[in-house]
Amino acid sequence: MELDLTLRLSRSLHVLNEAKSMAAKTLYDKLWDAHLVKQRDDGSALIYIDRQLLHEVTSPQAFEGLRLAGRQPWRIDANLATPDHNVPTTSNERMAGIEGIVDTVSRIQVQTLDDNCREFGVQEFRMNDRRQGIVHVVGPEQGATLPGMTVVCGDSHTSTHGAFGALAHGIGTSEVEHVLTTQCLVTKKMQNMLVRVDGQLGDGVTAKDVVLAIIGEIGTAGGNGCAIEFGGDAIRSLSMEGRMTLCNMAIEAGARAGMVAVDEQTIEYVKGRPYAPKKDDWDKAVEAWQDLVSDEEAEFDRVVVLQGDKIIPQVTWGTSPEMVGPVDGIVPDPAKIKDETQSISTSRALEYMGLQAGQKITDIKLDRVFIGSCTNSRIEDLRAAANVVKGRKVSSSIKQALVVPGSGLIKEQAEREGLDKIFTDAGFEWREPGCSMCLAMNADKLGAGEHCASTSNRNFEGRQGFGGRTHLVSPAMAAAAAIKGHFVDVRELNREMN
Amino acid sequence: MKKFTQLNGIVAPLDRANVDTDMIIPKQFLKSIKRSGFGPNLFDELRYLDEGQPDQDCSGRPLNPEFVLNKSRYQGASILLARQNFGCGSSREHAPWALEDYGFRCVIAPGFADIFYNNCFKNGILPISLLDDDVDQLFNEVASLEGYQLAIDLDREVIVKPDGEEIAFSIDAFRRHCLINGLDDIGLTLEDESLIRSYEQKHIKKNPWLFGAIK
Ligand code: SF4
């Protein structure tokens, strides 16, 4: 793949450019300026937060802090909560309600979120509410995430919401408390980075493949200190679901925030959602949102360009999202890597993953398949997977294949479309919404040494269970792998079918 | 955060160097959803003879009679006298949470681990570094007088001994300001409350749809 990495010095010294850049702003500059409450002398700033999403794992100490200090939330209507990380996903365990959660620590955390939301009056979609789901799926689905907003959540994948032309990033527990109490965040302005994907994507190539390819090129530290704007024709043609997948993994490229400019698609997606503006407000909002694009003349501190038509389906082979390659490739040979640190980390990764240098990616055998997570559990993802699965059977060598919808509403939608039938007929398990095997905080886990084709976002050691081996792929690729029992280029499988 | 101006309190001596945060609050207690309630598990492994579990009622557990905090003469202590490199190890904020919950508002030692030192200020605890000799002297005095108390005056940056003798200490001006006024990060931001309110008013005018949708 062609990579054109241009490091431009921030704000050129040239007088002309200086004048230009003063007037011209990037999308990030605009969002920042519109929310700046106070610039402090030490370089930090107070920015106003429009929306905070809360879940059970990172909020309890924040609420407790509020209680201890005798403070009240600044603005209740800025918050929306739902439990996701710990909730069980089998219908049996779910049916019994919170009482039925087997793991005590999980049960207490879920119960505590309910209690806190009740005490402080925060709107919550409880565990068995049909609107419950993974926070990053629920926010946009409800129109709680809107263009032009600042969005925070005590979770690093909050970058997802940037798909709407919003400034969204993950924060820690003490910051959750800070935002609850002051409606502001203390932060520093990041640099502007543009990742442009030109041309058009080929058939069978998805947003997940694009973002994995980007991380493969720039590395997991490539976006450090930056807010990334994704642009270019290939990005513009992505659906909102695809853009969310892309921004979701901006954090895996080292950037705390990722974003895509607002266009017709953004507005179409938001229209009519429960918390979206109505009537007169809607017209005013749409007008305001037109400005949520980078000015043509705006200067970026860094620009990276990829060719969309050269990207093919991607599979990670290592223990970091940057250890990735095309499905028709091979596992790299550490001995051939010149950089010593990289060579060492590659051989360590191969050892953990139980892979041989030079092995074909398509020869990697799988034990489990997981379709879900805030990266890829939206209706479009389930449709793409079902499309591959339809009329086929999960390979007998696969121990477990899971589909975990991102929210109760997505689950219902999929069931209306008959997708659940397609999955269960093929041998997949159809689960209740939650984070599930993305981080294995509930009972859904990999065993030691097991390989998993996963549509989630992190392939770190032990992420999906102690000793588990994760390969990140798109939903279509995960579905194809489930059918074959090993990785396969989903485009070939589709050709076979036709 | 609680304000800190003056403190008069009993001193408990913990005669041990390099007390790490795992010793201050062992890892099994980090599963908690709270930031309060760690007091009963402060120094858990030193304090009790059995192994503590989260959410356990500690009142019936066998106490280690040798441990300083279990001695009757140090009950109600609010000042901890410690040795070199206090609070080293993991960065857990649970360590100051546990000290504070137990009732300590001040720790005096020849030196502290960095992160722990910072975390203290965020939680209303005053960590005071003194010269080795001064600390030695304090250990001697505490041992020889039951009910030994110190008065800490943060305003004047002095420790006043029972005999009236004073030991000066120094705290970074900004941190002192925050402690004296009870300002944590949130408190500091709230100093700009009216600025935030006036921003909010402008913001609501421009983007009314961002307000009130979720109830
Ligand atoms: S799905 Fe995974 S990455 Fe997303 S919020 Fe849940 S645990 Fe985090």
Side-chain angles (χ1 to χ4, degrees):
Chain A
M1 187 184 327
E2 282 293 303
L3 174 79
D4 172 13
L5 180 75
T6 328
L7 269 174
R8 293 189 197 171
L9 270 181
S10 115
R11 308 294 186 247
S12 162
L13 291 173
H14 199 272
V15 184
L16 207 84
N17 277 351
E18 182 84 347
K20 252 200 233 167
S21 63
M22 271 174 66
K25 289 180 177 181
T26 64
L27 171 58
Y28 173 58
D29 294 338
K30 290 181 185 181
L31 290 166
W32 175 270
D33 291 350
H35 291 88
L36 186 65
V37 174
K38 182 185 186 178
Q39 181 66 54
R40 290 177 171 165
D41 298 337
D42 63 355
S44 69
L46 276 185
I47 64 165
Y48 188 83
I49 300 302
D50 295 314
R51 178 73 68 235
Q52 170 151 254
L53 300 166
L54 300 156
H55 62 87
E56 78 279 22
V57 178
T58 51
S59 68
Q61 272 104 353
F63 280 113
E64 177 74 358
L66 231 68
R67 244 189 313 265
L68 285 177
R71 290 177 174 135
Q72 283 298 315
W74 180 281
R75 225 189 97 203
I76 289 293
D77 70 304
N79 301 283
L80 181 64
T82 193
D84 54 5
H85 284 66
N86 278 295
V87 296
T89 62
T90 55
S91 33
N92 270 349
E93 209 176 332
R94 278 290 266 270
M95 252 157 32
I98 292 182
E99 301 285 285
I101 302 178
V102 176
D103 182 297
T104 356
V105 180
S106 299
R107 186 168 67 228
I108 291 171
Q109 281 194 328
V110 175
Q111 181 65 53
T112 304
L113 182 67
D114 279 14
D115 295 347
N116 283 328
C117 288
R118 200 175 295 118
E119 178 181 340
F120 289 98
V122 172
Q123 169 72 294
E124 183 200 2
F125 301 147
R126 302 221 178 107
M127 188 171 76
N128 287 336
D129 188 306
R130 49 205 282 271
R131 297 165 296 177
Q132 175 268 341
I134 306 171
V135 270
H136 309 311
V137 173
V138 169
E141 184 173 78
Q142 293 294 326
T145 302
L146 294 173
M149 269 185 170
T150 41
V151 181
V152 295
C153 173
D155 186 280
S156 59
H157 291 99
T158 310
S159 57
T160 312
H161 309 263
F164 290 81
L167 174 56
H169 45 65
I171 55 176
T173 295
S174 50
E175 289 172 312
V176 171
E177 182 183 346
H178 192 279
V179 173
L180 271 173
T181 321
T182 69
Q183 215 50 49
C184 288
L185 185 68
V186 180
T187 184
K188 284 192 175 154
K189 196 170 178 201
M190 300 175 269
Q191 289 204 308
N192 276 291
M193 178 171 184
L194 175 66
V195 174
R196 212 176 71 211
V197 186
D198 291 339
Q200 288 303 327
L201 303 177
D203 279 347
V205 180
T206 68
K208 183 63 161 287
D209 302 305
V210 173
V211 74
L212 285 172
I214 291 171
I215 297 167
E217 288 293 348
I218 69 174
T220 46
N224 274 1
C226 297
I228 298 182
E229 179 176 346
F230 298 97
D233 288 344
I235 306 294
R236 292 257 72 86
S237 332
L238 289 176
S239 65
M240 288 314 293
E241 282 89 347
R243 294 177 192 182
M244 284 188 253
T245 301
L246 190 71
C247 292
N248 175 273
M249 291 192 70
I251 184 77
E252 257 56 63
R256 224 169 143 198
M259 64 198 83
V260 176
V262 169
D263 61 12
E264 279 309 307
Q265 278 210 71
T266 323
I267 291 167
E268 250 335 284
Y269 183 98
V270 171
K271 196 173 183 178
R273 305 236 161 222
Y275 297 135
K278 309 261 150 45
K279 298 185 191 132
D280 280 4
D281 268 355
W282 173 256
D283 297 334
K284 270 191 251 161
V286 170
E287 201 189 316
W289 296 342
Q290 305 297 330
D291 190 42
L292 296 172
V293 296
S294 287
D295 295 334
E296 238 164 81
E297 310 271 272
E299 295 260 335
F300 286 85
D301 302 299
R302 297 188 64 191
V303 179
V304 175
V305 181
L306 278 80
Q307 299 304 324
D309 51 5
K310 302 230 167 89
I311 299 173
I312 76 161
Q314 306 280 308
V315 180
T316 66
W317 45 261
T319 49
S320 151
E322 69 184 19
M323 296 177 168
V324 65
V327 62
D328 62 2
I330 54 168
V331 173
D333 184 352
K336 290 186 185 146
I337 299 173
K338 286 194 201 85
D339 182 276
E340 198 187 339
T341 350
Q342 212 188 331
S343 172
I344 292 171
S345 70
T346 303
S347 60
R348 196 177 296 140
L350 295 193
E351 193 181 321
Y352 179 84
M353 294 297 289
L355 297 175
Q356 302 302 320
Q359 183 179 355
K360 281 164 98 179
I361 295 287
T362 47
D363 285 344
I364 299 174
K365 299 217 170 18
L366 297 156
D367 302 287
R368 292 180 204 259
V369 174
F370 171 61
I371 299 176
S373 89
C374 57
T375 317
N376 282 125
S377 62
R378 298 178 182 83
I379 191 69
E380 182 186 88
D381 302 314
L382 304 189
R383 286 181 192 140
N387 215 16
V388 174
V389 167
K390 196 167 188 173
R392 296 190 164 112
K393 291 271 180 247
V394 170
S395 161
S396 59
S397 62
I398 299 283
K399 288 182 201 157
Q400 184 184 39
L402 281 183
V403 186
V404 187
S407 74
L409 291 174
I410 290 171
K411 181 168 184 263
E412 282 181 9
Q413 170 76 22
E415 287 170 357
R416 272 197 299 278
E417 296 178 18
L419 305 186
D420 58 324
K421 267 297 262 144
I422 295 176
F423 286 121
T424 49
D425 284 352
F428 277 88
E429 295 174 37
W430 179 245
R431 294 291 188 90
E432 300 295 319
C435 294
S436 180
M437 206 189 269
C438 173
L439 89 165
M441 226 171 146
N442 64 9
D444 312 334
K445 290 186 172 79
L446 299 183
E450 289 180 346
H451 287 267
C452 178
S454 176
T455 66
S456 56
N457 44 42
R458 282 183 177 150
N459 51 353
F460 303 156
E461 288 186 21
R463 168 80 176 182
Q464 293 191 290
F466 183 76
R469 295 160 170 167
T470 303
H471 300 275
L472 304 175
V473 286
S474 74
M477 283 288 289
I483 304 301
K484 290 289 182 183
H486 57 83
F487 284 115
V488 54
D489 188 336
V490 63
R491 298 171 305 172
E492 268 169 38
L493 197 74
N494 283 341
R495 273 195 287 276
E496 233 176 68
M497 185 163 62
N498 295 330
Chain B
M1 198 174 75
K2 281 190 214 152
K3 288 185 187 189
F4 191 113
T5 44
Q6 312 268 342
L7 174 69
N8 267 301
I10 294 180
V11 182
L14 183 63
D15 198 358
R16 186 173 183 142
N18 301 311
V19 169
D20 63 48
T21 52
D22 211 312
M23 221 180 272
I24 299 175
I25 182 86
K27 59 183 167 300
Q28 66 265 38
F29 302 107
L30 309 191
K31 280 189 197 162
S32 165
I33 48 162
K34 302 208 150 124
R35 87 167 85 185
S36 61
F38 293 102
N41 301 112
L42 176 72
F43 298 118
D44 199 273
E45 283 168 19
L46 302 173
R47 194 162 148 198
Y48 302 97
L49 294 170
D50 62 348
E51 194 187 337
Q53 296 305 327
D55 289 335
Q56 181 185 13
D57 176 10
C58 296
S59 55
R61 292 175 61 195
L63 294 172
N64 172 6
E66 299 303 313
F67 185 58
V68 57
L69 295 188
N70 291 333
K71 300 196 169 151
S72 63
R73 61 186 284 190
Y74 299 120
Q75 294 314 299
S78 58
I79 299 167
L80 185 67
L81 183 63
R83 293 291 188 186
Q84 188 54 43
N85 200 25
F86 188 83
C88 56
S90 126
S91 66
R92 62 190 66 162
E93 203 164 324
H94 303 68
W97 291 348
L99 285 165
E100 204 265 350
D101 194 66
Y102 180 89
F104 286 118
R105 295 297 312 279
C106 174
V107 185
I108 300 172
F112 296 89
D114 228 24
I115 300 175
F116 174 82
Y117 187 76
N118 279 322
N119 282 341
C120 280
F121 288 100
K122 283 191 191 159
N123 292 282
I125 296 175
L126 174 66
I128 299 177
S129 288
L130 295 181
L131 294 174
D132 266 331
D133 288 349
D134 286 332
V135 173
D136 281 344
Q137 179 63 26
L138 284 175
F139 266 100
N140 289 336
E141 292 177 18
V142 170
S144 58
L145 178 66
E146 188 159 342
Y148 185 90
Q149 293 208 7
L150 287 174
I152 315 281
D153 185 337
L154 180 56
D155 241 346
R156 293 172 47 229
E157 292 177 297
V158 288
I159 297 173
V160 188
K161 292 188 181 185
D163 60 6
E165 193 198 324
E166 296 191 347
I167 310 175
F169 63 90
S170 93
I171 300 287
D172 164 83
F174 179 70
R175 285 185 163 134
R176 206 176 96 214
H177 168 78
C178 290
L179 259 188
I180 288 178
N181 295 292
L183 299 174
D184 47 10
D185 280 359
I186 293 176
L188 271 179
T189 299
L190 286 175
E191 285 193 335
D192 286 319
E193 186 172 343
S194 59
L195 206 59
I196 303 171
R197 297 240 178 253
S198 67
Y199 168 86
E200 200 169 48
Q201 287 315 312
K202 272 186 275 166
H203 197 50
I204 207 170
K205 267 218 185 92
K206 261 178 126 177
N207 316 277
W209 56 87
L210 294 180
F211 293 76
I214 299 180
K215 289 188 190 87

